Amino acid sequence: MSSYPPSGPPPKTTLRQRLADLRGPAVPPRPLDARALAALAANPGCGRRALLDGAGVDKTALAAALGSPAAFGQSQFAIIRGNSFEAKVKGDGGAELLRLVYEHLGAGSEPPGPDARVPDLTAAGPEGRAARTALALREATAGAAASGAWTLLDHPMLALEVAGSPAYLEPDAVVVHPDGRWTVVEIKSFPMIDGAADAAKVGAAARQAAVYVLALEKTAGKLASAVVGHTVLLVCPKDFSNLPAAAPVDIRRERAVTRRQLERLTRVEELAAALPEGLSFDPARPAEELTEAVAAVSASYAPECLAACELAFHCRERARAADAVTALGRSVRGELGALTTVEEALAAAAGSGGPDDPTAASLHHAARLRAEALEAAACPC
């Protein structure tokens, strides 16, 4: 008998091991949150972000190692203020929060009383917490049907598969109504002045809440009597005080857009399989290696990325260096069709485009009109 091991193909690397290799041997995975998923859904054509988020890469550390650190994020003061306001809203067993939910979304139900439930959602790890949350939702829905009681889930854990990779999400709160309806509650620290908050911030909160609603619908699909409300409750400080105020926000449009965009994402294993062996995004590696690694994954940069992605400044620099029209915005990129660089667009405006190219002809016509208008404005007569 031969003492040599049997020959054969090498063992296949699992997806989990492959993603760990991409992050780096000593880098723990960074979990996806609803804010990141909302930003990912807003730009589903960016394979770079889909892969890095799916692999759990710390994009903040990666951007710093590339020499283009992210310049956005909440200050420590804002985080402390937000945590203090949330604790105030949820104090006394969530009595004030349940009152706000009843006042704005509880039509037809009995007001919450001392029998309102706040189940313990403690468990080991995100998988355990997600399972415990699913059980609490099931019990709360059954209990609501039997006794008509309200239930407040404080920081539940929800699971949602994104591009073939599991994501664990933690909303501020989920309320189970006496009729079995589930409502997502978003608690924000920006003020609600005269009953209205900043439209851009409300829009961002709505997109974030839409991700939570999609995750809740996965759990609700296993229960016959569960219904996920498509109106979430936004709770903010009233005017310039620390008193809570609330407003219902219909997120049906955001939910539909987010669901469609997340379904369009390329699966993580497909993106990882297209990369060469040995490639890594470990921030401890030299900047030159990291630059090559990041360039190996296709990106779809737009100016909107600056407010949502840690790698936006690096991608903007590369887009400008490549003279790409994407640096001018998605609307400009869509109008220019096959013209992918600023130089090509300027050349077409100067009349060097082909006669059969309608985009080039339109640019040339617009350039002539502009020149005539400037000439007419400069004429002293």
Side-chain angles (χ1 to χ4, degrees):
M1 177 182 290
S2 172
S3 60
Y4 291 101
S7 60
K12 185 177 180 180
T13 304
T14 64
L15 177 61
R16 177 171 297 187
Q17 181 59 48
R18 177 64 170 139
L19 297 183
D21 293 340
L22 291 175
R23 288 192 303 272
V27 180
R30 187 176 183 87
L32 276 169
D33 58 17
R35 185 172 298 176
L37 285 181
L40 186 60
N43 191 8
C46 186
R48 182 175 296 171
R49 174 150 198 169
L51 176 66
L52 296 178
D53 282 347
V57 174
D58 187 343
K59 297 198 300 298
T60 300
L62 178 59
L66 288 168
S68 303
F72 67 89
Q74 281 189 310
S75 67
Q76 192 64 30
F77 173 75
I79 293 174
I80 294 174
R81 182 182 61 185
N83 291 339
S84 174
F85 177 68
E86 181 176 338
K88 178 180 178 64
V89 173
K90 293 180 178 177
D92 194 20
E96 179 66 12
L97 180 55
L98 290 173
R99 183 191 68 80
L100 291 170
V101 175
Y102 171 73
E103 178 182 333
H104 293 277
L105 299 173
S109 301
E110 290 294 324
D115 60 338
R117 303 167 183 172
V118 184
D120 182 13
L121 302 179
T122 305
E127 297 91 343
R129 289 186 60 201
R132 181 68 188 89
T133 296
L135 177 61
L137 285 168
R138 188 178 302 112
E139 292 174 346
T141 305
S147 62
W150 292 76
T151 301
L152 169 63
L153 275 65
D154 185 8
H155 283 290
M157 185 65 74
L158 309 175
L160 181 67
E161 184 176 300
V162 180
S165 181
Y168 294 96
L169 314 171
E170 188 177 5
D172 293 326
V174 172
V175 172
V176 180
H177 296 241
D179 59 3
R181 183 162 37 103
W182 302 353
T183 293
V184 172
V185 179
E186 275 288 276
I187 303 175
K188 298 297 183 182
S189 60
F190 55 81
M192 191 175 292
I193 301 174
D194 292 334
D198 181 86
K201 294 179 179 179
V202 172
R207 290 189 292 273
Q208 188 174 334
V211 178
Y212 296 138
V213 168
L214 288 174
L216 272 178
E217 288 177 342
K218 296 293 183 180
T219 303
K222 303 174 184 177
L223 300 176
S225 57
V227 177
V228 182
H230 291 162
T231 299
V232 304
L233 190 69
L234 177 64
V235 181
C236 301
K238 183 179 180 181
D239 298 327
F240 299 101
S241 70
N242 202 35
L243 300 175
V249 180
D250 190 331
I251 53 93
R252 283 178 293 183
R253 183 178 66 84
E254 289 80 4
R255 172 195 166 277
V257 171
T258 301
R259 180 177 182 177
R260 182 170 64 252
Q261 300 292 58
L262 290 178
E263 289 175 348
R264 287 178 54 196
L265 290 174
T266 305
R267 297 180 67 85
V268 173
E269 55 263 37
E270 296 177 19
L271 295 169
L275 300 178
E277 289 294 330
L279 183 142
S280 174
F281 303 104
D282 188 347
R285 293 202 170 191
E288 295 78 10
E289 290 186 21
L290 290 176
T291 301
E292 293 180 6
V294 170
V297 189
S298 62
S300 178
Y301 170 77
E304 294 85 351
C305 297
L306 294 173
C309 182
E310 296 85 347
L311 286 179
F313 289 93
H314 173 80
C315 295
R316 181 180 66 176
E317 179 183 343
R318 297 295 159 175
R320 287 176 173 176
D323 201 32
V325 295
T326 53
L328 304 177
R330 292 194 181 99
S331 60
V332 176
R333 174 68 187 91
E335 292 290 341
L336 292 179
L339 303 175
T340 59
T341 68
V342 175
E343 183 179 358
E344 290 177 348
L346 293 176
S352 63
D356 297 331
D357 187 347
T359 303
S362 297
L363 278 175
H364 185 47
H365 180 63
R368 287 203 316 270
L369 292 177
R370 178 179 180 275
E372 292 173 4
L374 290 175
E375 183 179 353
C379 180
C381 57

